[in-house]
Amino acid sequence: MAEPVRVLVTGAAGQIAYSLLYSIAKGDVFGKDQPLILVLLDITPMMTVLEGVVMELQDCALPLLREVIPTDKEEVAFKDLDVAILVGSMPRREGMERKDLLKANVKIFKSQGAALDKYAKKTVKVVVVGNPANTNCLIASKSAPSIPKENFSCLTRLDHNRAKSQIALKLGVAANDVKNVIIWGNHSSTQYPDVNHAKVNVKGKEVGVYEAIKDDSWLKGDFIVTVQQRGAAVIKARKLSSAMSAAKAICDHVRDIWFGTPAGEFISMGVISDGNSYGVPEDLLYSFPVVIKDKTWKFVEGLPINDFSREKMELTAKELTEEKETAVEFLSSA
């Protein structure tokens, strides 16, 4: 048997984690023969709830799960990690300004970044889910100078999966018949879901999405808005934010980091923008199309960008630049 992989999930008593932990523990992410140690971090008032989650994980009687460690202490949580999935963040409360939300989260992710720096393996892969995910990820990375920037990513795979699924629904095909959709930019309503380079398998033949759908106004209008606003639509309907679909996207994201992307396919994730060829400013945590091999991602290069796309990509970059400036201001005082 392989050595156990040590995985941290934060916000472990929350609803995304409740869907996520079972999938990880049963081998959906790291493989069916990879033993695991799960470390579960949450805030002190959630410890009783977390004990219940631990009981349930035990009661699943999962062969790969070697140990479950619930804790409210960063020095325990971040020790010797192979993978950190940072789900926990300060949620936006009614009447809360985005600035207040940023300030509260800068404090959390500065502290967790410093803990990664101090206690985790230098090879640790860090995935930030808690919102505002891109900026939280940037702050964590800046607070962990001894861990390579490339090891930090944020989740835009949920948006990616939403885009893929909308195209599949429109064409009446299976979701895995659609590939190479792109989410550019921020995990917010300014994100740009781009299907200019996406392909769909229709009756055994691979065609471009624009060619297959033959409805440019839908692709440039309702499709984009539906993907951008999907999180809000789920909240409106369920009175709770996306959990099952978020957990599935996290599994997809981490599994692709671990095992690589399939040949001929790329996926979307928020990564450091340094060295990109798409004119996105440096030092932003921005969602790009990437391919992954040997646990290392690379930008997909050379995709032609039309004026419509360029404008949308610049708009979301502008929002991220503003968020970053606000966050960095708070960082010095946090």
Side-chain angles (χ1 to χ4, degrees), residues 127-325:
V127 180
V128 177
V129 179
N131 285 320
N134 300 58
T135 299
N136 287 345
C137 187
L138 188 67
I139 293 301
S141 171
K142 285 183 180 297
S143 307
S146 70
I147 295 168
K149 290 179 192 180
E150 295 70 34
N151 290 24
F152 287 80
S153 60
C154 83
L155 187 76
T156 55
R157 185 61 168 267
L158 177 52
D159 309 302
H160 178 101
N161 287 350
R162 285 164 172 164
K164 197 170 163 162
S165 158
Q166 286 302 311
I167 299 297
L169 286 166
K170 184 83 169 171
L171 289 167
V173 300
N176 65 346
D177 286 328
V178 181
K179 68 174 192 185
N180 298 353
V181 303
I182 301 169
I183 304 295
W184 297 100
N186 199 0
H187 174 65
S188 75
S189 58
T190 67
Q191 62 173 267
Y192 171 44
D194 176 8
V195 290
N196 283 293
H197 312 284
K199 301 267 186 277
V200 58
N201 190 321
V202 184
K203 300 187 178 107
K205 193 165 152 266
E206 200 169 82
V207 287
V209 164
Y210 268 83
E211 191 190 332
I213 286 186
K214 299 184 177 60
D215 183 348
D216 291 16
S217 68
W218 181 77
L219 284 169
K220 288 183 165 172
D222 286 353
F223 162 71
I224 291 175
V225 174
T226 300
V227 177
Q228 288 174 333
Q229 304 288 347
R230 188 67 160 189
V234 171
I235 291 174
K236 192 165 186 269
R238 273 194 87 221
K239 312 288 178 269
L240 291 163
S241 57
S242 316
M244 186 188 352
S245 54
K248 159 64 166 60
I250 295 164
C251 290
D252 291 346
H253 178 116
V254 178
R255 190 181 54 247
D256 284 346
I257 289 175
W258 212 251
F259 292 109
T261 45
E265 267 187 59
F266 48 78
I267 53 111
S268 308
M269 58 194 224
V271 293
I272 195 72
S273 61
D274 299 6
N276 79 87
S277 62
Y278 293 104
V280 176
E282 303 268 298
D283 198 40
L284 287 183
L285 216 293
Y286 188 100
S287 181
F288 288 92
V290 300
V291 290
I292 304 170
K293 195 183 170 194
D294 303 327
K295 299 188 173 62
T296 306
W297 58 266
K298 284 194 171 71
F299 295 121
V300 175
E301 299 285 7
L303 299 172
I305 304 296
N306 61 29
D307 292 344
F308 178 83
S309 294
R310 171 72 54 210
E311 192 181 323
K312 295 234 176 305
M313 288 163 68
E314 282 172 0
L315 185 78
T316 191
K318 183 172 177 282
E319 182 183 59
L320 278 170
T321 304
E322 286 163 10
E323 265 187 37
K324 177 181 112 170
E325 284 164 2

Side-chain angles (χ1 to χ4, degrees), residues 10-11 86-92 101 105 108-109 129-132 136:
T10 73
L86 309 183
V87 181
S89 64
M90 167 72 90
R92 192 167 185 168
L101 184 69
N105 281 300
I108 294 168
F109 286 87
V129 179
N131 285 320
N136 287 345

Side-chain angles (χ1 to χ4, degrees), residues 97-112:
E97 288 293 319
R98 197 170 169 85
K99 217 169 175 162
D100 300 332
L101 184 69
L102 266 172
K103 189 171 192 174
N105 281 300
V106 164
K107 202 170 162 203
I108 294 168
F109 286 87
K110 179 184 183 180
S111 173
Q112 294 188 350

